[in-house]
Amino acid sequence: MMPKVCFRLPLFLFICLFLSIKGKAFTTNRAENRTKQQASVMETNSSSDSSNNNLPLAGKLEELKLREAELSRLLAEVRLEKLSTLRSRPLNIGVIGFGRFGRFIAKSFQKYGRVFVTSRSDYTEIASEMGVKYIPLSNPSEFLDANLDVIVVAVSILSFEKTISDLALNIRNHLAAKQARENSDKVQGPLIVDVLSVKEHARQVMLELLPLECDILCTHPMFGPDSGKDGWSGLNFVYEKTRVDGVIFNPNDVTTSEEFNDVAGKRHSIHEDNESLIEGIDRIERFLSIWEEEGCRMIPMSCKAHDSYAANSQFITHLMGRILGEQGLSNTPIDTKGFESVLQLIDTTTADSFDLFYGLYKFNQNSMKTIARLQAAMDNVVEELKKTDSTS
């Protein structure tokens, strides 16, 4: 039996189309009534002042408000239906790496599905208090036997490749045993999701090492336990749908929920006679809907484009924080608001591990260009100061 596919964009477009058609009919009736009313007023009182000229505009604004209210009502209904669908078919979500960030996302995941976490350290008590199940990293069989729909790899950039390599081996063994047990020609692996701050590295590693039975979703929540402590509403979530049912998405293609191009340029549709493709896309949509329901601003973007933007935003922020931190700056009795912001930048960036900073540098090919531009800008500013000093 085909699963119920939960797609957001087509449904939204349908709503807009419905409202557009309804709005046009509504506008026509209201416009006819206003025309009759205005003709009557003009016939009985031709000397009316110019305020009567505002009647059509006032009527139009009233119509727009009514249509806006109707749209809000329908969108609220869709959101409730989507939430009901998520909760009626909860995902089994595994999280590898139960450190600070792993605990941060697992806390929200458990509202939408069953969560299983694994890590080197023993987090049994913390996991139990959070309502999730802890499984030691040394027992990968038990972790995979949880019938996981999704595995989120929440480890550091530097340990990511080793973690994926070990996971890939364990998944292959797990799928081979499952295939033999079920006497099946084809078995589906879990959806693998990364949350690294560098995306091309994560994409390449997962495509190279993970078995074809595993779908791949590259993501970067542009927030963490500090910036997201009061909720995820309005916070950016970047993602690239990378591989589904062995088909690699074209990263430069602006995909819809129903159609996409693969890297060979072939167009695919969810209406193909391919149940595993439909299930794979549906699983991705259900997982993305968790972040959307938490209020994230969803940004589909290729890994390459992400890294280009990140080098000039996230990396340069960490770079400047580290450079300023090396100055040994501290509070003074006459601090300006600007200087307080500088100290806050230092505190925020140096609170993260140096391994994260090094990972942003090493695994983003755009980082050296950012450093070179910063050095050149520094030289230009100093030269400008010297030039001004020599002419004054």
Side-chain angles (χ1 to χ4, degrees):
M1 180 180 178
M2 292 287 190
K4 179 181 179 182
V5 183
C6 175
F7 295 124
R8 301 164 299 199
L9 184 57
L11 185 54
F12 178 78
L13 291 176
F14 171 79
I15 293 171
C16 290
L17 180 60
F18 168 79
L19 290 177
S20 176
I21 295 171
K22 182 175 181 180
K24 288 178 181 177
F26 184 72
T27 302
T28 301
N29 293 333
R30 291 295 299 272
E32 289 175 355
N33 291 335
R34 284 200 312 275
T35 300
K36 294 177 180 177
Q37 292 169 358
Q38 290 163 16
S40 175
V41 170
M42 290 176 67
E43 290 172 1
T44 58
N45 189 4
S46 59
S47 62
S48 296
D49 59 37
S50 59
S51 64
N52 285 333
N53 293 330
N54 294 327
L55 284 175
L57 181 59
K60 181 66 175 178
L61 184 59
E62 180 185 0
E63 290 171 13
L64 290 173
K65 287 182 177 180
L66 289 171
R67 291 172 63 188
E68 182 180 38
E70 178 69 2
L71 178 59
S72 297
R73 183 187 67 78
L74 287 173
L75 286 177
E77 289 181 2
V78 170
R79 185 178 183 276
L80 288 174
E81 184 179 352
K82 184 175 67 175
L83 190 59
S84 175
T85 300
L86 281 171
R87 290 175 175 169
S88 66
R89 300 175 57 218
L91 292 167
N92 286 345
I93 304 174
V95 179
I96 299 178
F98 201 51
R100 191 163 178 247
F101 189 80
R103 294 195 295 272
F104 171 64
I105 57 177
K107 184 178 180 180
S108 290
F109 289 166
Q110 61 89 23
K111 292 187 288 184
Y112 301 94
R114 294 174 287 269
V115 180
F116 304 83
V117 301
T118 185
S119 193
R120 286 195 301 266
S121 302
D122 188 350
Y123 289 108
T124 304
E125 186 174 342
I126 295 177
S128 178
E129 292 174 356
M130 193 180 293
V132 304
K133 181 177 181 180
Y134 170 78
I135 299 172
L137 189 63
S138 58
N139 193 353
S141 295
E142 182 182 354
F143 183 66
L144 294 174
D145 282 342
N147 193 27
L148 301 174
D149 298 298
V150 182
I151 296 177
V152 180
V153 183
V155 300
S156 71
I157 299 173
L158 299 185
S159 62
F160 182 76
E161 185 170 358
K162 175 66 165 57
T163 301
I164 292 295
S165 179
D166 293 343
L167 176 63
L169 177 61
N170 292 327
I171 288 176
R172 284 190 176 90
N173 293 336
H174 174 76
L175 292 180
K178 183 178 180 181
Q179 191 170 12
R181 185 169 61 251
E182 298 179 358
N183 193 24
S184 173
D185 294 332
K186 184 178 181 180
V187 291
Q188 186 182 45
L191 166 66
I192 310 299
V193 182
D194 87 285
V195 290
L196 290 191
S197 299
V198 289
K199 299 269 53 79
E200 285 197 281
H201 170 65
R203 184 179 192 273
Q204 180 181 355
V205 167
M206 290 192 289
L207 284 174
E208 287 182 358
L209 298 180
L210 290 171
L212 285 174
E213 291 85 355
C214 292
D215 297 340
I216 298 173
L217 178 67
C218 295
T219 79
H220 182 195
M222 305 295 292
F223 54 91
D226 294 322
S227 54
K229 66 179 184 295
D230 297 322
W232 301 357
S233 181
L235 300 178
N236 291 339
F237 180 83
V238 180
Y239 66 94
E240 177 197 282
K241 300 174 186 177
T242 302
R243 187 174 74 192
V244 178
D245 193 40
V247 178
I248 301 174
F249 285 61
N250 181 347
N252 300 315
D253 178 40
V254 180
T255 63
T256 68
S257 295
E258 294 192 349
E259 293 185 340
F260 63 93
N261 287 334
D262 63 23
V263 289
K266 181 180 178 182
R267 195 71 174 168
H268 293 267
S269 168
I270 64 164
H271 303 294
E272 295 176 9
D273 186 17
N274 186 338
E275 185 172 347
S276 58
L277 176 66
I278 296 174
E279 289 178 348
I281 294 178
D282 178 59
R283 181 169 57 180
I284 285 180
E285 290 297 324
R286 288 162 62 201
F287 179 74
L288 290 175
S289 290
I290 293 175
W291 301 86
E292 190 176 48
E293 284 301 311
E294 287 295 299
C296 291
R297 178 171 173 258
M298 308 298 286
I299 306 175
M301 180 181 293
S302 72
C303 292
K304 183 176 182 179
H306 168 279
D307 283 3
S308 177
Y309 287 126
N312 293 309
S313 58
Q314 185 184 28
F315 175 67
I316 198 170
T317 300
H318 280 262
L319 179 62
M320 290 305 302
R322 293 283 174 175
I323 291 173
L324 293 170
E326 287 295 313
Q327 304 296 308
L329 303 177
S330 60
N331 293 103
T332 73
I334 56 171
D335 287 353
T336 63
K337 290 296 183 182
F339 185 68
E340 290 176 356
S341 297
V342 168
L343 294 180
Q344 185 177 4
L345 171 65
I346 294 171
D347 290 342
T348 301
T349 53
T350 56
D352 291 319
S353 68
F354 190 83
D355 281 353
L356 171 62
F357 177 52
Y358 177 68
L360 293 173
Y361 159 75
K362 180 176 176 61
F363 294 106
N364 188 335
Q365 60 182 358
N366 302 286
S367 59
M368 274 307 302
K369 295 177 184 177
T370 299
I371 292 174
R373 284 195 296 268
L374 181 61
Q375 290 174 326
M378 179 69 178
D379 292 340
N380 290 339
V381 171
V382 172
E383 283 301 312
E384 189 67 24
L385 288 173
K386 291 180 179 179
K387 185 188 300 183
T388 303
D389 189 45
S390 64
T391 57
S392 62

